[in-house]
mmCIF file with all atom_site columns, all heavy atoms in Angstrom:
data_model
loop_
_atom_site.group_PDB
_atom_site.id
_atom_site.type_symbol
_atom_site.label_atom_id
_atom_site.label_alt_id
_atom_site.label_comp_id
_atom_site.label_asym_id
_atom_site.label_entity_id
_atom_site.label_seq_id
_atom_site.pdbx_PDB_ins_code
_atom_site.Cartn_x
_atom_site.Cartn_y
_atom_site.Cartn_z
_atom_site.occupancy
_atom_site.B_iso_or_equiv
_atom_site.pdbx_formal_charge
_atom_site.auth_seq_id
_atom_site.auth_comp_id
_atom_site.auth_asym_id
_atom_site.auth_atom_id
_atom_site.pdbx_PDB_model_num
ATOM 1   N N   . PRO A 1 11  ? 140.873 134.334 77.797  1.00 0.00 ? 29  PRO A N   1
ATOM 2   C CA  . PRO A 1 11  ? 141.891 133.747 76.806  1.00 0.00 ? 29  PRO A CA  1
ATOM 3   C C   . PRO A 1 11  ? 142.387 134.772 75.780  1.00 0.00 ? 29  PRO A C   1
ATOM 4   O O   . PRO A 1 11  ? 143.470 134.505 75.183  1.00 0.00 ? 29  PRO A O   1
ATOM 5   C CB  . PRO A 1 11  ? 141.042 132.677 76.084  1.00 0.00 ? 29  PRO A CB  1
ATOM 6   C CG  . PRO A 1 11  ? 139.566 132.938 76.399  1.00 0.00 ? 29  PRO A CG  1
ATOM 7   C CD  . PRO A 1 11  ? 139.566 133.757 77.617  1.00 0.00 ? 29  PRO A CD  1
ATOM 8   N N   . THR A 1 13  ? 143.469 137.720 76.607  1.00 0.00 ? 31  THR A N   1
ATOM 9   C CA  . THR A 1 13  ? 144.302 138.641 77.208  1.00 0.00 ? 31  THR A CA  1
ATOM 10  C C   . THR A 1 13  ? 145.523 137.887 77.900  1.00 0.00 ? 31  THR A C   1
ATOM 11  O O   . THR A 1 13  ? 145.285 136.878 78.658  1.00 0.00 ? 31  THR A O   1
ATOM 12  C CB  . THR A 1 13  ? 143.589 139.478 78.314  1.00 0.00 ? 31  THR A CB  1
ATOM 13  O OG1 . THR A 1 13  ? 142.439 140.098 77.648  1.00 0.00 ? 31  THR A OG1 1
ATOM 14  C CG2 . THR A 1 13  ? 144.338 140.458 78.983  1.00 0.00 ? 31  THR A CG2 1
ATOM 15  N N   . VAL A 1 22  ? 155.044 149.810 87.042  1.00 0.00 ? 40  VAL A N   1
ATOM 16  C CA  . VAL A 1 22  ? 154.460 150.276 85.830  1.00 0.00 ? 40  VAL A CA  1
ATOM 17  C C   . VAL A 1 22  ? 153.752 151.645 86.109  1.00 0.00 ? 40  VAL A C   1
ATOM 18  O O   . VAL A 1 22  ? 154.129 152.721 85.476  1.00 0.00 ? 40  VAL A O   1
ATOM 19  C CB  . VAL A 1 22  ? 153.448 149.314 85.166  1.00 0.00 ? 40  VAL A CB  1
ATOM 20  C CG1 . VAL A 1 22  ? 152.804 149.938 83.914  1.00 0.00 ? 40  VAL A CG1 1
ATOM 21  C CG2 . VAL A 1 22  ? 154.163 148.019 84.729  1.00 0.00 ? 40  VAL A CG2 1
ATOM 22  N N   . ALA A 1 36  ? 144.604 155.561 73.117  1.00 0.00 ? 54  ALA A N   1
ATOM 23  C CA  . ALA A 1 36  ? 146.104 155.218 73.414  1.00 0.00 ? 54  ALA A CA  1
ATOM 24  C C   . ALA A 1 36  ? 147.065 156.284 72.980  1.00 0.00 ? 54  ALA A C   1
ATOM 25  O O   . ALA A 1 36  ? 148.202 156.206 73.359  1.00 0.00 ? 54  ALA A O   1
ATOM 26  C CB  . ALA A 1 36  ? 146.411 153.882 72.692  1.00 0.00 ? 54  ALA A CB  1
ATOM 27  N N   . ALA A 1 44  ? 152.019 152.238 70.607  1.00 0.00 ? 62  ALA A N   1
ATOM 28  C CA  . ALA A 1 44  ? 152.856 151.308 69.918  1.00 0.00 ? 62  ALA A CA  1
ATOM 29  C C   . ALA A 1 44  ? 152.206 149.869 69.935  1.00 0.00 ? 62  ALA A C   1
ATOM 30  O O   . ALA A 1 44  ? 152.229 149.128 68.976  1.00 0.00 ? 62  ALA A O   1
ATOM 31  C CB  . ALA A 1 44  ? 154.304 151.296 70.591  1.00 0.00 ? 62  ALA A CB  1
ATOM 32  N N   . LEU A 1 48  ? 150.554 147.562 66.505  1.00 0.00 ? 66  LEU A N   1
ATOM 33  C CA  . LEU A 1 48  ? 150.709 146.226 65.993  1.00 0.00 ? 66  LEU A CA  1
ATOM 34  C C   . LEU A 1 48  ? 149.592 145.713 65.119  1.00 0.00 ? 66  LEU A C   1
ATOM 35  O O   . LEU A 1 48  ? 149.787 144.761 64.296  1.00 0.00 ? 66  LEU A O   1
ATOM 36  C CB  . LEU A 1 48  ? 150.944 145.296 67.126  1.00 0.00 ? 66  LEU A CB  1
ATOM 37  C CG  . LEU A 1 48  ? 152.293 145.458 68.044  1.00 0.00 ? 66  LEU A CG  1
ATOM 38  C CD1 . LEU A 1 48  ? 152.248 144.574 69.169  1.00 0.00 ? 66  LEU A CD1 1
ATOM 39  C CD2 . LEU A 1 48  ? 153.469 145.223 67.092  1.00 0.00 ? 66  LEU A CD2 1
ATOM 40  N N   . GLY A 1 49  ? 148.419 146.354 65.372  1.00 0.00 ? 67  GLY A N   1
ATOM 41  C CA  . GLY A 1 49  ? 147.183 145.959 64.544  1.00 0.00 ? 67  GLY A CA  1
ATOM 42  C C   . GLY A 1 49  ? 146.469 144.861 65.011  1.00 0.00 ? 67  GLY A C   1
ATOM 43  O O   . GLY A 1 49  ? 145.231 144.686 64.658  1.00 0.00 ? 67  GLY A O   1
ATOM 44  N N   . GLY A 1 53  ? 143.039 146.033 73.238  1.00 0.00 ? 71  GLY A N   1
ATOM 45  C CA  . GLY A 1 53  ? 142.973 146.582 74.589  1.00 0.00 ? 71  GLY A CA  1
ATOM 46  C C   . GLY A 1 53  ? 144.326 146.563 75.335  1.00 0.00 ? 71  GLY A C   1
ATOM 47  O O   . GLY A 1 53  ? 145.097 145.597 75.059  1.00 0.00 ? 71  GLY A O   1
ATOM 48  N N   . ASP A 1 59  ? 152.098 146.835 88.644  1.00 0.00 ? 77  ASP A N   1
ATOM 49  C CA  . ASP A 1 59  ? 153.327 146.150 88.223  1.00 0.00 ? 77  ASP A CA  1
ATOM 50  C C   . ASP A 1 59  ? 153.135 145.265 87.123  1.00 0.00 ? 77  ASP A C   1
ATOM 51  O O   . ASP A 1 59  ? 153.825 144.278 86.878  1.00 0.00 ? 77  ASP A O   1
ATOM 52  C CB  . ASP A 1 59  ? 153.820 145.314 89.388  1.00 0.00 ? 77  ASP A CB  1
ATOM 53  C CG  . ASP A 1 59  ? 152.873 144.210 89.953  1.00 0.00 ? 77  ASP A CG  1
ATOM 54  O OD1 . ASP A 1 59  ? 151.700 144.186 89.487  1.00 0.00 ? 77  ASP A OD1 1
ATOM 55  O OD2 . ASP A 1 59  ? 153.324 143.433 90.787  1.00 0.00 ? 77  ASP A OD2 1
ATOM 56  N N   . ILE A 1 61  ? 151.245 144.903 82.747  1.00 0.00 ? 79  ILE A N   1
ATOM 57  C CA  . ILE A 1 61  ? 150.488 145.396 81.670  1.00 0.00 ? 79  ILE A CA  1
ATOM 58  C C   . ILE A 1 61  ? 149.677 144.149 81.099  1.00 0.00 ? 79  ILE A C   1
ATOM 59  O O   . ILE A 1 61  ? 150.200 143.124 80.825  1.00 0.00 ? 79  ILE A O   1
ATOM 60  C CB  . ILE A 1 61  ? 151.435 145.919 80.573  1.00 0.00 ? 79  ILE A CB  1
ATOM 61  C CG1 . ILE A 1 61  ? 152.286 147.140 81.186  1.00 0.00 ? 79  ILE A CG1 1
ATOM 62  C CG2 . ILE A 1 61  ? 150.692 146.394 79.346  1.00 0.00 ? 79  ILE A CG2 1
ATOM 63  C CD1 . ILE A 1 61  ? 153.493 147.536 80.360  1.00 0.00 ? 79  ILE A CD1 1
ATOM 64  N N   . VAL A 1 63  ? 147.428 142.895 77.860  1.00 0.00 ? 81  VAL A N   1
ATOM 65  C CA  . VAL A 1 63  ? 147.175 143.197 76.467  1.00 0.00 ? 81  VAL A CA  1
ATOM 66  C C   . VAL A 1 63  ? 146.180 142.225 75.932  1.00 0.00 ? 81  VAL A C   1
ATOM 67  O O   . VAL A 1 63  ? 146.268 140.999 76.279  1.00 0.00 ? 81  VAL A O   1
ATOM 68  C CB  . VAL A 1 63  ? 148.528 143.043 75.652  1.00 0.00 ? 81  VAL A CB  1
ATOM 69  C CG1 . VAL A 1 63  ? 148.317 143.295 74.218  1.00 0.00 ? 81  VAL A CG1 1
ATOM 70  C CG2 . VAL A 1 63  ? 149.537 143.944 76.252  1.00 0.00 ? 81  VAL A CG2 1
ATOM 71  N N   . VAL A 1 78  ? 154.822 141.889 71.229  1.00 0.00 ? 96  VAL A N   1
ATOM 72  C CA  . VAL A 1 78  ? 154.411 142.589 72.396  1.00 0.00 ? 96  VAL A CA  1
ATOM 73  C C   . VAL A 1 78  ? 155.648 142.670 73.275  1.00 0.00 ? 96  VAL A C   1
ATOM 74  O O   . VAL A 1 78  ? 156.023 143.679 73.858  1.00 0.00 ? 96  VAL A O   1
ATOM 75  C CB  . VAL A 1 78  ? 153.271 142.022 73.092  1.00 0.00 ? 96  VAL A CB  1
ATOM 76  C CG1 . VAL A 1 78  ? 153.005 142.691 74.483  1.00 0.00 ? 96  VAL A CG1 1
ATOM 77  C CG2 . VAL A 1 78  ? 151.964 142.228 72.283  1.00 0.00 ? 96  VAL A CG2 1
ATOM 78  N N   . PHE A 1 86  ? 160.999 149.473 78.465  1.00 0.00 ? 104 PHE A N   1
ATOM 79  C CA  . PHE A 1 86  ? 161.492 149.410 79.812  1.00 0.00 ? 104 PHE A CA  1
ATOM 80  C C   . PHE A 1 86  ? 163.042 149.584 79.822  1.00 0.00 ? 104 PHE A C   1
ATOM 81  O O   . PHE A 1 86  ? 163.565 150.323 80.739  1.00 0.00 ? 104 PHE A O   1
ATOM 82  C CB  . PHE A 1 86  ? 161.021 148.253 80.585  1.00 0.00 ? 104 PHE A CB  1
ATOM 83  C CG  . PHE A 1 86  ? 159.557 148.353 81.056  1.00 0.00 ? 104 PHE A CG  1
ATOM 84  C CD1 . PHE A 1 86  ? 158.515 147.688 80.323  1.00 0.00 ? 104 PHE A CD1 1
ATOM 85  C CD2 . PHE A 1 86  ? 159.216 149.183 82.038  1.00 0.00 ? 104 PHE A CD2 1
ATOM 86  C CE1 . PHE A 1 86  ? 157.256 147.873 80.677  1.00 0.00 ? 104 PHE A CE1 1
ATOM 87  C CE2 . PHE A 1 86  ? 157.879 149.326 82.498  1.00 0.00 ? 104 PHE A CE2 1
ATOM 88  C CZ  . PHE A 1 86  ? 156.895 148.665 81.772  1.00 0.00 ? 104 PHE A CZ  1
ATOM 89  N N   . ALA A 1 90  ? 161.587 154.703 78.941  1.00 0.00 ? 108 ALA A N   1
ATOM 90  C CA  . ALA A 1 90  ? 160.738 155.663 78.294  1.00 0.00 ? 108 ALA A CA  1
ATOM 91  C C   . ALA A 1 90  ? 159.588 156.016 79.214  1.00 0.00 ? 108 ALA A C   1
ATOM 92  O O   . ALA A 1 90  ? 159.185 155.277 80.054  1.00 0.00 ? 108 ALA A O   1
ATOM 93  C CB  . ALA A 1 90  ? 160.190 155.141 76.933  1.00 0.00 ? 108 ALA A CB  1
ATOM 94  N N   . PHE A 1 93  ? 153.475 157.948 79.699  1.00 0.00 ? 111 PHE A N   1
ATOM 95  C CA  . PHE A 1 93  ? 152.570 158.869 79.092  1.00 0.00 ? 111 PHE A CA  1
ATOM 96  C C   . PHE A 1 93  ? 153.273 159.951 78.439  1.00 0.00 ? 111 PHE A C   1
ATOM 97  O O   . PHE A 1 93  ? 154.332 160.304 78.693  1.00 0.00 ? 111 PHE A O   1
ATOM 98  C CB  . PHE A 1 93  ? 151.652 159.439 80.164  1.00 0.00 ? 111 PHE A CB  1
ATOM 99  C CG  . PHE A 1 93  ? 150.755 158.474 80.800  1.00 0.00 ? 111 PHE A CG  1
ATOM 100 C CD1 . PHE A 1 93  ? 151.072 157.879 82.061  1.00 0.00 ? 111 PHE A CD1 1
ATOM 101 C CD2 . PHE A 1 93  ? 149.618 157.922 80.140  1.00 0.00 ? 111 PHE A CD2 1
ATOM 102 C CE1 . PHE A 1 93  ? 150.259 157.004 82.662  1.00 0.00 ? 111 PHE A CE1 1
ATOM 103 C CE2 . PHE A 1 93  ? 148.946 156.864 80.756  1.00 0.00 ? 111 PHE A CE2 1
ATOM 104 C CZ  . PHE A 1 93  ? 149.180 156.454 81.983  1.00 0.00 ? 111 PHE A CZ  1
ATOM 105 N N   . GLY A 1 100 ? 147.323 161.575 80.410  1.00 0.00 ? 118 GLY A N   1
ATOM 106 C CA  . GLY A 1 100 ? 147.651 160.374 81.135  1.00 0.00 ? 118 GLY A CA  1
ATOM 107 C C   . GLY A 1 100 ? 147.017 160.310 82.553  1.00 0.00 ? 118 GLY A C   1
ATOM 108 O O   . GLY A 1 100 ? 147.095 159.263 83.183  1.00 0.00 ? 118 GLY A O   1
ATOM 109 N N   . ASP A 1 126 ? 135.495 149.595 101.096 1.00 0.00 ? 144 ASP A N   1
ATOM 110 C CA  . ASP A 1 126 ? 136.547 148.973 101.716 1.00 0.00 ? 144 ASP A CA  1
ATOM 111 C C   . ASP A 1 126 ? 136.778 147.505 101.434 1.00 0.00 ? 144 ASP A C   1
ATOM 112 O O   . ASP A 1 126 ? 137.925 147.031 101.263 1.00 0.00 ? 144 ASP A O   1
ATOM 113 C CB  . ASP A 1 126 ? 136.279 149.072 103.371 1.00 0.00 ? 144 ASP A CB  1
ATOM 114 C CG  . ASP A 1 126 ? 137.528 148.617 104.169 1.00 0.00 ? 144 ASP A CG  1
ATOM 115 O OD1 . ASP A 1 126 ? 138.678 149.194 104.067 1.00 0.00 ? 144 ASP A OD1 1
ATOM 116 O OD2 . ASP A 1 126 ? 137.325 147.663 104.925 1.00 0.00 ? 144 ASP A OD2 1
ATOM 117 N N   . THR A 1 130 ? 140.184 146.124 99.737  1.00 0.00 ? 148 THR A N   1
ATOM 118 C CA  . THR A 1 130 ? 141.045 145.127 100.478 1.00 0.00 ? 148 THR A CA  1
ATOM 119 C C   . THR A 1 130 ? 140.978 143.727 100.029 1.00 0.00 ? 148 THR A C   1
ATOM 120 O O   . THR A 1 130 ? 141.915 143.106 100.058 1.00 0.00 ? 148 THR A O   1
ATOM 121 C CB  . THR A 1 130 ? 140.760 145.279 101.956 1.00 0.00 ? 148 THR A CB  1
ATOM 122 O OG1 . THR A 1 130 ? 139.476 144.951 102.225 1.00 0.00 ? 148 THR A OG1 1
ATOM 123 C CG2 . THR A 1 130 ? 141.146 146.710 102.467 1.00 0.00 ? 148 THR A CG2 1
ATOM 124 N N   . GLU A 1 150 ? 119.335 150.825 96.351  1.00 0.00 ? 168 GLU A N   1
ATOM 125 C CA  . GLU A 1 150 ? 118.243 149.870 96.665  1.00 0.00 ? 168 GLU A CA  1
ATOM 126 C C   . GLU A 1 150 ? 118.819 148.553 96.810  1.00 0.00 ? 168 GLU A C   1
ATOM 127 O O   . GLU A 1 150 ? 118.195 147.527 96.310  1.00 0.00 ? 168 GLU A O   1
ATOM 128 C CB  . GLU A 1 150 ? 117.105 149.987 95.692  1.00 0.00 ? 168 GLU A CB  1
ATOM 129 C CG  . GLU A 1 150 ? 116.427 151.326 95.631  1.00 0.00 ? 168 GLU A CG  1
ATOM 130 C CD  . GLU A 1 150 ? 115.410 151.417 94.481  1.00 0.00 ? 168 GLU A CD  1
ATOM 131 O OE1 . GLU A 1 150 ? 115.131 150.451 93.876  1.00 0.00 ? 168 GLU A OE1 1
ATOM 132 O OE2 . GLU A 1 150 ? 114.894 152.558 94.332  1.00 0.00 ? 168 GLU A OE2 1
ATOM 133 N N   . VAL A 1 152 ? 121.452 147.168 95.467  1.00 0.00 ? 170 VAL A N   1
ATOM 134 C CA  . VAL A 1 152 ? 122.264 146.779 94.335  1.00 0.00 ? 170 VAL A CA  1
ATOM 135 C C   . VAL A 1 152 ? 123.571 147.565 94.218  1.00 0.00 ? 170 VAL A C   1
ATOM 136 O O   . VAL A 1 152 ? 123.642 148.736 94.257  1.00 0.00 ? 170 VAL A O   1
ATOM 137 C CB  . VAL A 1 152 ? 121.400 146.956 92.930  1.00 0.00 ? 170 VAL A CB  1
ATOM 138 C CG1 . VAL A 1 152 ? 122.391 146.429 91.867  1.00 0.00 ? 170 VAL A CG1 1
ATOM 139 C CG2 . VAL A 1 152 ? 120.127 146.196 93.106  1.00 0.00 ? 170 VAL A CG2 1
ATOM 140 N N   . LEU A 1 178 ? 130.653 137.676 98.667  1.00 0.00 ? 196 LEU A N   1
ATOM 141 C CA  . LEU A 1 178 ? 131.466 138.306 99.638  1.00 0.00 ? 196 LEU A CA  1
ATOM 142 C C   . LEU A 1 178 ? 130.802 139.459 100.201 1.00 0.00 ? 196 LEU A C   1
ATOM 143 O O   . LEU A 1 178 ? 130.640 139.678 101.440 1.00 0.00 ? 196 LEU A O   1
ATOM 144 C CB  . LEU A 1 178 ? 132.766 138.685 98.986  1.00 0.00 ? 196 LEU A CB  1
ATOM 145 C CG  . LEU A 1 178 ? 133.732 139.580 99.857  1.00 0.00 ? 196 LEU A CG  1
ATOM 146 C CD1 . LEU A 1 178 ? 134.496 138.668 100.831 1.00 0.00 ? 196 LEU A CD1 1
ATOM 147 C CD2 . LEU A 1 178 ? 134.624 140.461 99.114  1.00 0.00 ? 196 LEU A CD2 1
ATOM 148 N N   . LEU A 1 179 ? 130.249 140.392 99.328  1.00 0.00 ? 197 LEU A N   1
ATOM 149 C CA  . LEU A 1 179 ? 129.539 141.635 99.808  1.00 0.00 ? 197 LEU A CA  1
ATOM 150 C C   . LEU A 1 179 ? 128.394 141.323 100.598 1.00 0.00 ? 197 LEU A C   1
ATOM 151 O O   . LEU A 1 179 ? 128.019 141.922 101.624 1.00 0.00 ? 197 LEU A O   1
ATOM 152 C CB  . LEU A 1 179 ? 129.296 142.534 98.617  1.00 0.00 ? 197 LEU A CB  1
ATOM 153 C CG  . LEU A 1 179 ? 130.466 143.083 97.961  1.00 0.00 ? 197 LEU A CG  1
ATOM 154 C CD1 . LEU A 1 179 ? 129.995 143.948 96.766  1.00 0.00 ? 197 LEU A CD1 1
ATOM 155 C CD2 . LEU A 1 179 ? 131.332 143.986 98.919  1.00 0.00 ? 197 LEU A CD2 1
#
Side-chain angles (χ1 to χ4, degrees):
T31 304
V40 175
L66 292 173
D77 61 352
I79 298 165
V81 178
V96 171
F104 285 103
F111 296 102
D144 183 59
T148 59
E168 299 175 6
V170 180
L196 174 84
L197 292 178

